[in-house]
Amino acid sequence: MKIGVLALQGDFAEHISMLKKIGVDVAEVRLPKHLDGLDGLIMPGGESTTIGKLSVAYGLMEPLREFGKSHAIWGTCAGAIFLSKDAKSDQPLLGLMDIKVQRNAFGRQVDSFETDLEIDELMKATGTEHAYHAVFIRAPLIESVHGNAKVLSALEDGRIVAAQEGHLLATSFHPELTNDTRFHEYFISLAS
Amino acid sequence: MESKTGTWTEKKGLAQMLKGGVIMDVVNAEQARIAEEAGACAVMALERVPADIRADGGVARMSDPDMILKIMDAVSIPVMAKCRIGHFVEAQILQSLGVDYIDESEVLTPADEEHHILKHNFKVPFVCGCRNIGEALRRIGEGAAMIRTKGEAGTGDVVEAVRHARSVIGSIRQLQTMGDEELMTFAKNNGAPYELVKEVKETGRMPVVNFAAGGVATPADAALMMHLGVDGVFVGSGIFKSGDPAKRAAAIVKSVTFYQDASVLAEVSRNLGEAMVGRNVSQMPEGEKMAGRGW
């Protein structure tokens, strides 16, 4: 099992350290050739416009779309925006996941928040019972899911913050900023 | 489900999202859009870039809130703004505007020559400059959630940024080799909070994200700073005081991502037009240097 982390910009080092913690081989991905031999890919938090522009400049858009057809990809925050079909702005998107997202949906940095989420799928998959503590930073919201995409987690008021479509996973929040490895374990189960 | 805002995790976390990126000084909405289009991960809104502050002289203060709001409206990436060292009312104003990060900056004229802002009192996160590990850990002790080397702003001369980054990173390495009984003396000699000194020794890194700033003018400068071990780069006057800002901005963004790949650096460095004119720091009178501001 070898997982790549898109390392163009953002908190890719934090994802790498989580993956190492659960004993997974990791590789940094900056160019199309770095996707060879990977079983899955994580796209980190960061600025989605920066990540998108660098992906276009270095020819990653098509190789990433191709990779996503047959491999697991997980986007956190900016990565989730990049995975989506629609972000209501004219920035480069992979369009792999049938979700519509709204950037900076909760406001500016002073509105960024932490909260506990009950995520049934995650607790079932990892055989645990405690809530998941989620860190949202200038977070996007998953406004709606379509087609085969399904809601994985929502806030109490129903706003969607995690979604899954087969082997594709999108979270508005940042599991890589916590010590809780359950989301990374869950993603590895999708990549297996 | 109780939600919490303004936590230490939130403050540090936004800086973690900026890693591997370039934060650019902009003076109006049009420059902010150029920066975003070039791939900046954030912009710093200010009325005059440091090179102009140097040229104009006089007292440099927080920028007009109207200009900051216009920049916030113009781009979707985070917007930072500067307040004077110790001027907590300017910081309160910036927080109320909703800026995403405040830079308590030596580039502006200090308002207090003994004390910095107690940054733990704010919900908005702060970045502060440093020349060495003692200064960095004092600022973190006051609540800075991100650190940058000071360099010498507005000069286009990278020598001071290199000096400060080498000093901070060298001290982190030095701590790794020290015995626990030596840490209190290290804390005393460097004027650094003991608990943070211990943390740096244990983790082998700064407790918060650490960018380079002050004198970066070319893609090669930015890549040099990344090699020295910083997490990302601020570029102030270097972009919009150059001949072709859009092209240079995009080149510096690429140089930070591909800092280890000299062939990419060669490609992005081609035909960038005039770099900012620059001033040689070694020939600059002490009184003109900004890096000494900070206590």
Side-chain angles (χ1 to χ4, degrees), chain B residues 213-228:
Chain B
V216 174
T218 68
D221 288 348
L224 173 66
M225 298 314 298
M226 293 299 288
H227 272 288
L228 293 182

Side-chain angles (χ1 to χ4, degrees), chain A residues 112-190:
Chain A
S112 290
F113 63 100
E114 300 178 49
T115 194
D116 286 339
L117 300 172
E118 302 283 342
I119 309 176
D120 295 340
E121 203 75 29
L122 183 74
M123 294 193 281
K124 212 160 60 188
T126 54
T128 54
E129 286 175 355
H130 54 287
Y132 189 84
H133 188 71
V135 179
F136 294 80
I137 296 174
R138 282 174 46 95
L141 190 66
I142 301 171
E143 214 173 72
S144 54
V145 298
H146 307 273
N148 294 322
K150 59 176 188 177
V151 176
L152 204 58
S153 177
L155 298 173
E156 268 179 346
D157 58 12
R159 289 186 291 177
I160 307 164
V161 291
Q164 187 178 337
E165 182 176 346
H167 52 269
L168 303 173
L169 188 61
T171 57
S172 315
F173 47 90
H174 295 280
E176 74 279 15
L177 295 187
T178 69
N179 292 316
D180 191 337
T181 55
R182 283 181 293 168
F183 245 104
H184 288 79
E185 290 163 32
Y186 183 65
F187 176 67
I188 296 306
S189 75
L190 298 181

Side-chain angles (χ1 to χ4, degrees), chain A residues 7-14 28 30-31 33-34 44-51 53-54 57-58 60 77 91 103-104 107-118 133-138 154-157 174 176-178, chain B residues 1-14 16-22 36-42 72-73 75-79 95 97-101 123-125 209 250 253-254 256-261 264 268:
Chain A
L8 296 172
Q9 190 270 324
D11 70 337
F12 51 88
E14 283 77 353
E28 294 182 0
R30 291 189 180 83
L31 294 170
K33 64 182 180 191
H34 300 152
E47 275 310 311
S48 60
T49 51
T50 307
I51 293 169
K53 284 167 200 303
L54 285 166
Y58 289 93
L60 273 158
C77 194
Q91 63 191 88
R103 293 183 59 197
N104 304 329
R108 303 198 71 94
Q109 173 60 14
V110 288
D111 308 304
S112 290
F113 63 100
E114 300 178 49
T115 194
D116 286 339
L117 300 172
E118 302 283 342
H133 188 71
V135 179
F136 294 80
I137 296 174
R138 282 174 46 95
L155 298 173
E156 268 179 346
D157 58 12
H174 295 280
E176 74 279 15
L177 295 187
T178 69
Chain B
M1 272 192 267
E2 194 195 346
S3 290
K4 283 180 284 189
T5 58
T7 64
W8 185 235
T9 300
E10 291 292 343
K11 290 176 172 178
K12 277 200 311 182
L14 179 55
Q16 286 170 283
M17 297 310 133
L18 303 174
K19 285 165 64 174
V22 182
E36 183 177 47
E37 187 56 36
C41 67
M72 287 164 58
D73 276 346
V75 293
S76 65
I77 56 179
V79 176
Q95 175 170 266
L97 294 178
V99 302
D100 296 298
Y101 240 94
K123 275 178 88 165
V124 65
V209 165
V253 169
K254 289 171 182 165
V256 168
T257 298
F258 292 98
Y259 71 94
Q260 291 164 309
D261 189 335
V264 171
V268 303

